[in-house]
Amino acid sequence: METVNIIISGVGGQGIILLSNVLANLALENNLDVKKSEVHGMAQRGGSVVSFVRIGEKIFSPLIPVGKGDILVSMELMESLRWIEYVKNGGTALINDYRLPPPGVAMGIEKYPEGIEEKFGEKDVKVFVKRVTNEAVKLGNPRVTNIILLGMLSRFLTFEVSSYYNAIRKSVKPQFLELNLKAFERGRELIEL
Amino acid sequence: MAAKGKEVLSGNQAIARGAYETGCQFAAAYPGTPSTEILETIAEKYGDSIYAEWSINEKVALESAAGASYAGARSLVAMKHVGLNVAADPLMTLPYTGIVGGLVIVTADDPHMHSSQNEQDNRHYAKFAKIPMLEPSDSQEAKEFTRLAFFLSEKYDTPVLIRTTTRISHGFSVVTLEDPVSPVRELRARKENAEKWTMLPSNARKRHPVVEKRLRELRELAENIEINRIEWGSEEIGFITGGVSYMYAKEAFPDASFLKLGMSYPLPERMIKEFASRVKKLYVVEELDPFWEDEIKKMGIEVTGKEIFPRCGELDPDIVYRAVRYGDVPECGTLELKRSPDLPVRPPILCPGCPHRSMFYQLNRKKYFVTGDIGCYTLGYYKPLSAMHTTLDMGASLGHGHGMFKVLPEGERKKVVSVIGDSTFMHSGMTHLLNMAYNKTKGTIIILDNRTTAMTGQQVNPATGVTLMGEQTFEIDFKSLAESFGVKHIIETNAWDMESVSRALDEAENYDGLSVIIHKGPCALLPEYRKNYQKQPMVVDPEKCSGCKICLNVNCPSLSWVEEEGYWVDKKGNKHRRKGYVVIDQLNCTGCEVCAQSCPFDAIIFPERSE
């Protein structure tokens, strides 16, 4: 298969690392090579977080070159914009319509950016902006926002659904498995192709 | 015994796995991004066969590992790049004494300073100490090179360095697992090695030639070791590279020829000459310093390197491609620069409920000059807290303070304080405190005692009362410690009582001598906080909020401003206009009350319980 480059963006503490772990296990389930890269430490405390996941026959660089990202998954609305340069023309963006005001906005000094869908539209990127956290709350836990987004993402990848189930099973605690599988299915329903 | 198979591991997890598979028996480290997960993984997964500890600092870790190695145990130490500066003293002489059980030292460098104060290139340490350094390019190599490092260490009787960078340490890729081997060496105290291990000048003089002879043997090894390899492709372009840079160059120019250096030092001169003679244009691709480039140029080989590749920050496939194709040379190679530049930034920020917040709020309000240190509390630098004015290295806050206290005129001196976290204090601050007490310094130091090494992810330390292996131990009492150092004036504060913090600062400022303020409150991410301190979220009374924004100066991520013209009612019942009001996020507010204590209008309250 052709290498698929996935960018996951959001804010520290939103469950980005777990989502990228599931994708890494998904690659293993499908006997493919995978690299993922993210940064921990100081940047974690409420800072912008990004994880690059690359799945294919043989992966060299852990970083995705600019303009080569196939799909951007953003856990937070404006954080999607931070990585727009990395998404290829004709790529896809799956964005959680959920706002976490950055400090400047919270202080009333800066404005939260608007017109995000249009900016992706200008790049010929297919954008899906959904209120994913609301869906997660409806399922009983806002923390499964990431796995609903995974369900949405699965509609744009070619892997068997069963391999997602196995990858989720490997990555979450047993007591949360059922909830996460439900979240995955909810995500699949949110995308109509 | 773990089942064989494949797993996706980070470089750090893979190094831990490599140590396990090689029968490592002793592992020590001080937490430091991006190296921390090596010891965490060892303790969590392989704690049955490897003794693992958080040491007080990197020097302690390395000297202890050397002791374990002398006794015959395979031993590993891990640290971030600047940690090796702390451990540089034993590092420079261990090559003289040699080892018994394999001794592997992991240095995790941090190009782009994702979570560091500098981006020093620790390959220089291999050359400086005259010992071999291995540098993996992914997690599989991280595991294999760790195993190889133990064998080389024993074969050549030397400590061996493994260098990773953040993208290797925190990058995940597929690793094939193997079964562990059992330790073979007898564990005993080897008296017969006294001459080799006691570095009196008379003995050390005999050992230096051994180090030089070993280095010549290692140069020979480098020519033949399989981790240095040539991958022939087009002979138009050849790259000499290694570490994560190899992956970037390979991504950018998959058809070129490569000399991949798995061993960063010493270099294989004959192999490099052969490679150079067969390619038309030769590049050296390496992050940070022109370490290989300088070595290769000394061999008399023409090569292109830092004239086109940046010395600062990280590389990536784009930078390598553009530099080679177009000679496009950025000043700094960083990902950050390619993100959309005009968006509001998200600097890291102290967590809701953080015990440090009240101290920095008061330090700012009282206009102190604050000598600072390394930890979460370095975030006290950012606006609006704006209460940190220096940060150099672990422990420097107290040194900075001491120097300033000694030379500043009294009025100026009284407005300077030094701030250090509990873990950093134990790492490198205790000696400073003794020095200050002994040398009769007049001034104030503040120990932010949150009972954990917070910034790297809440690792345990002597203030926690638990070891890395999960054993109960004593909890250090900073008050008794300071008393035993001869400090006469010690004040303890309650981190969630802003009045106690304010009083302590005033009292210390007016004391004619050395004051130690112990600012007490557990990290808000600890279970202890959730159990004993966490309360219900607070709310802003919309009637009482004047929109003065004073509470926003406590810089809590739970608070945010809503711009909306309206009215508020003061304590006497008079109505006033306002431009907006503050709201509190009900999901992450911990009810610590620090913002409420800053509010002049008592507008921040606990909601009345509805039964």
Side-chain angles (χ1 to χ4, degrees):
Chain A
M1 69 169 263
E2 287 233 340
T3 295
V4 53
N5 294 324
I6 302 162
I7 301 158
I8 309 166
S9 63
V11 176
Q14 281 196 300
I16 292 162
I17 308 280
L18 177 76
L19 176 52
S20 70
N21 285 345
V22 178
L23 287 171
N25 281 324
L26 178 71
L28 265 193
E29 284 292 319
N30 288 282
N31 287 316
L32 289 165
D33 195 13
V34 61
K35 283 213 171 126
K36 75 178 187 108
S37 187
E38 58 228 358
V39 170
H40 314 202
M42 194 158 208
Q44 236 176 352
R45 304 269 174 273
S48 297
V49 174
V50 71
S51 179
F52 288 162
V53 184
R54 311 189 68 202
I55 301 174
E57 301 294 335
K58 174 73 189 161
I59 307 292
F60 292 110
S61 168
L63 298 178
I64 296 172
V66 170
K68 297 280 173 65
D70 298 295
I71 304 176
L72 169 70
V73 178
S74 192
M75 303 277 301
E76 200 269 356
L77 187 60
M78 67 166 269
E79 288 306 309
S80 63
L81 218 45
R82 219 180 282 284
W83 303 95
I84 190 167
E85 296 298 320
Y86 280 77
V87 185
K88 71 178 185 191
N89 291 332
T92 304
L94 309 172
I95 300 170
N96 180 15
D97 189 359
Y98 181 71
R99 296 171 181 229
L100 283 168
V105 175
M107 294 280 294
I109 302 163
E110 291 173 295
K111 291 265 182 277
Y112 194 94
E114 301 294 340
I116 287 167
E117 252 175 282
E118 290 73 15
K119 289 195 173 119
F120 280 96
E122 285 164 23
K123 274 196 69 156
D124 194 24
V125 171
K126 287 188 290 292
V127 204
F128 299 82
V129 181
K130 304 274 180 188
R131 302 183 67 181
V132 185
T133 299
N134 271 26
E135 295 296 326
V137 170
K138 278 190 220 160
L139 289 175
N141 192 338
R143 300 207 62 81
V144 297
T145 301
N146 51 3
I147 302 299
I148 299 179
L149 279 158
L150 176 72
M152 293 165 66
L153 172 65
S154 71
R155 300 295 298 266
F156 300 91
L157 303 175
T158 54
F159 306 114
E160 295 284 337
V161 167
S162 62
S163 63
Y164 288 92
Y165 274 54
N166 289 338
I168 293 169
R169 194 170 291 122
K170 270 193 186 171
S171 313
V172 305
K173 288 187 179 147
Q175 64 264 38
F176 298 118
L177 179 62
E178 201 189 320
L179 174 66
N180 278 284
L181 294 180
K182 259 192 212 162
F184 176 74
E185 287 302 331
R186 184 73 196 107
R188 288 185 64 81
E189 291 163 12
L190 285 177
I191 298 289
E192 284 175 25
L193 290 175
Chain B
M1 194 177 291
K4 282 191 214 180
K6 285 185 175 182
E7 275 186 39
V8 178
L9 299 181
S10 69
N12 283 340
Q13 291 168 336
I15 288 170
R17 178 76 199 183
Y20 166 69
E21 289 181 1
T22 326
C24 175
Q25 289 169 287
F26 181 98
Y30 181 80
T33 310
S35 70
T36 311
E37 297 81 4
I38 297 172
L39 260 278
E40 284 185 332
T41 305
I42 289 177
E44 188 191 321
K45 292 202 156 166
Y46 315 120
D48 289 342
S49 57
I50 306 177
Y51 167 80
E53 71 169 36
W54 290 129
S55 301
I56 292 298
N57 65 36
E58 295 85 355
K59 178 177 188 285
V60 170
L62 179 51
E63 288 160 351
S64 306
S69 159
Y70 286 173
R74 288 186 174 159
S75 305
L76 177 135
V77 277
M79 56 200 73
K80 67 182 294 164
H81 59 338
V82 287
L84 197 50
N85 302 336
V86 179
D89 202 351
L91 176 74
M92 299 311 293
T93 308
L94 272 170
Y96 283 51
T97 71
I99 52 89
V100 177
L103 177 57
V104 175
I105 304 163
V106 183
T107 163
D109 291 14
D110 189 19
H112 183 54
M113 298 171 270
H114 293 281
S115 197
S116 300
Q117 67 268 39
N118 76 22
E119 53 182 355
Q120 68 185 50
D121 187 332
N122 275 9
R123 291 177 297 174
H124 295 288
Y125 269 119
K127 191 177 178 185
F128 195 13
K130 306 183 183 213
I131 58 175
M133 173 180 270
L134 310 184
E135 202 169 343
S137 296
D138 60 18
S139 298
Q140 178 67 34
E141 286 191 354
K143 194 198 76 163
E144 284 170 13
F145 287 15
T146 303
R147 296 181 53 144
L148 180 62
F150 277 108
F151 295 123
L152 292 180
S153 172
E154 288 172 7
K155 186 171 178 200
Y156 290 88
D157 189 20
T158 175
V160 174
L161 280 162
I162 293 180
R163 176 182 183 247
T164 58
T165 53
T166 304
R167 297 292 170 187
I168 300 299
S169 317
H170 286 170
F172 285 73
S173 58
V174 182
V175 175
T176 305
L177 308 183
E178 287 158 90
D179 289 332
V181 298
S182 298
V184 283
R185 221 166 241 91
E186 187 191 357
L187 298 176
R188 65 181 176 87
R190 292 166 165 81
K191 277 190 183 165
E192 66 273 21
N193 283 358
E195 186 184 335
K196 184 170 176 262
W197 290 348
T198 308
M199 286 298 98
L200 283 162
S202 58
N203 288 341
R205 277 182 214 116
K206 289 178 206 151
R207 293 298 298 172
H208 187 187
V210 176
V211 173
E212 297 300 335
K213 177 167 173 283
R214 178 199 298 140
L215 192 55
R216 287 195 297 276
E217 289 167 6
L218 287 165
R219 285 187 204 288
E220 206 47 48
L221 169 78
E223 302 286 355
N224 303 307
I225 196 164
E226 63 204 16
I227 61 172
N228 290 337
R229 63 164 192 263
I230 293 176
E231 298 166 2
W232 289 115
S234 153
E235 291 180 357
E236 290 296 311
I237 299 181
F239 291 101
I240 298 176
T241 181
V244 76
S245 302
Y246 162 79
M247 294 295 180
Y248 298 150
K250 195 86 181 166
E251 184 81 27
F253 295 96
D255 301 325
S257 291
F258 284 82
L259 196 174
K260 181 183 186 300
L261 294 168
M263 194 166 169
S264 288
Y265 187 82
L267 292 188
E269 186 163 345
R270 292 198 301 277
M271 189 187 233
I272 289 170
K273 282 184 168 157
E274 191 217 330
F275 184 73
S277 71
R278 282 183 55 183
V279 295
K280 279 195 185 147
K281 176 81 186 169
L282 183 64
Y283 296 92
V284 177
V285 186
E286 54 190 328
E287 285 178 325
L288 304 177
D289 293 343
F291 181 78
W292 293 325
E293 182 184 338
D294 289 349
E295 293 284 308
I296 292 166
K297 281 182 172 162
K298 265 195 324 206
M299 297 170 191
I301 296 168
E302 197 181 318
V303 64
T304 302
K306 293 295 170 186
E307 342 47 311
I308 62 166
F309 299 114
R311 288 169 187 251
C312 307
E314 295 184 294
L315 298 179
D316 65 32
D318 295 312
I319 292 170
V320 175
Y321 186 82
R322 297 182 66 83
V324 171
R325 277 281 173 263
Y326 315 121
D328 185 3
V329 193
E331 175 81 17
C332 272
T334 70
L335 195 68
E336 213 94 326
L337 303 178
K338 289 181 209 143
R339 309 193 317 189
S340 300
D342 48 356
L343 284 180
V345 294
R346 279 185 204 274
I349 187 168
L350 297 174
C351 304
C354 176
H356 302 331
R357 179 167 285 112
S358 56
M359 178 55 79
F360 286 104
Y361 178 80
Q362 294 291 15
L363 289 171
N364 178 33
R365 206 175 62 83
K366 291 172 184 286
K367 301 187 167 53
Y368 283 104
F369 180 97
V370 182
T371 67
D373 225 299
I374 307 237
C376 291
Y377 51 94
T378 317
L379 303 179
Y381 163 82
Y382 286 114
K383 286 177 188 165
L385 291 173
S386 307
M388 187 157 295
H389 305 92
T390 74
T391 296
L392 185 69
D393 66 51
M394 297 283 284
S397 56
L398 269 54
H400 286 163
H402 179 60
M404 289 189 178
F405 297 148
K406 284 290 180 191
V407 301
L408 286 174
E410 177 158 324
E412 189 80 4
R413 167 179 68 72
K414 282 179 172 293
K415 296 313 286 185
V416 176
V417 296
S418 299
V419 168
I420 189 166
D422 52 47
S423 192
T424 310
F425 176 73
M426 291 182 280
H427 177 287
S428 288
M430 290 192 295
T431 45
H432 275 301
L433 181 59
L434 183 57
N435 184 58
M436 292 163 109
Y438 166 62
N439 287 304
K440 301 176 85 69
T441 299
K442 291 178 181 178
T444 301
I445 77 150
I446 299 160
I447 301 172
L448 300 169
D449 184 9
N450 68 356
R451 305 271 109 184
T452 188
T453 309
M455 180 54 103
T456 43
Q458 299 86 48
Q459 285 74 30
V460 293
N461 69 35
T464 320
V466 183
T467 70
L468 175 60
M469 303 287 272
E471 286 177 300
Q472 293 297 315
T473 181
F474 73 98
E475 277 185 45
I476 192 170
D477 172 17
F478 291 120
K479 187 162 184 284
S480 327
L481 180 108
E483 279 167 357
S484 73
F485 280 5
V487 180
K488 298 282 184 287
H489 190 240
I490 302 162
I491 317 165
E492 293 183 321
T493 60
N494 169 359
W496 291 284
D497 175 2
M498 292 251 265
E499 241 337 279
S500 83
V501 178
S502 173
R503 270 199 315 272
L505 288 169
D506 293 344
E507 209 185 293
E509 188 177 321
N510 293 320
Y511 179 74
D512 189 39
L514 178 60
S515 298
V516 173
I517 297 174
I518 304 166
H519 184 67
K520 296 179 85 150
C523 170
L525 300 177
L526 290 180
E528 189 205 336
Y529 179 89
R530 283 194 280 275
K531 201 169 130 212
N532 297 328
Y533 293 83
Q534 178 117 26
K535 297 181 200 152
Q536 64 181 131
M538 300 193 84
V539 293
V540 176
D541 183 337
E543 280 235 316
K544 287 189 185 166
C545 179
S546 74
C548 71
K549 293 189 179 178
I550 285 175
C551 62
L552 294 177
N553 289 325
V554 306
N555 197 27
C556 178
S558 296
L559 303 181
S560 56
W561 174 250
V562 179
E563 195 147 304
E564 190 181 296
E565 296 254 345
Y567 294 90
W568 68 286
V569 181
D570 68 19
K571 286 171 189 168
K572 290 176 186 158
N574 301 319
K575 231 175 158 186
H576 307 273
R577 289 180 73 89
R578 71 176 177 203
K579 289 195 169 153
Y581 57 95
V582 168
V583 291
I584 297 180
D585 187 322
Q586 296 299 294
L587 281 180
N588 59 20
C589 171
T590 69
C592 79
E593 296 182 68
V594 166
C595 61
Q597 292 169 27
S598 78
C599 176
F601 306 101
D602 298 330
I604 303 177
I605 51 174
F606 285 111
E608 283 175 38
R609 279 170 206 276
S610 51
E611 295 301 329

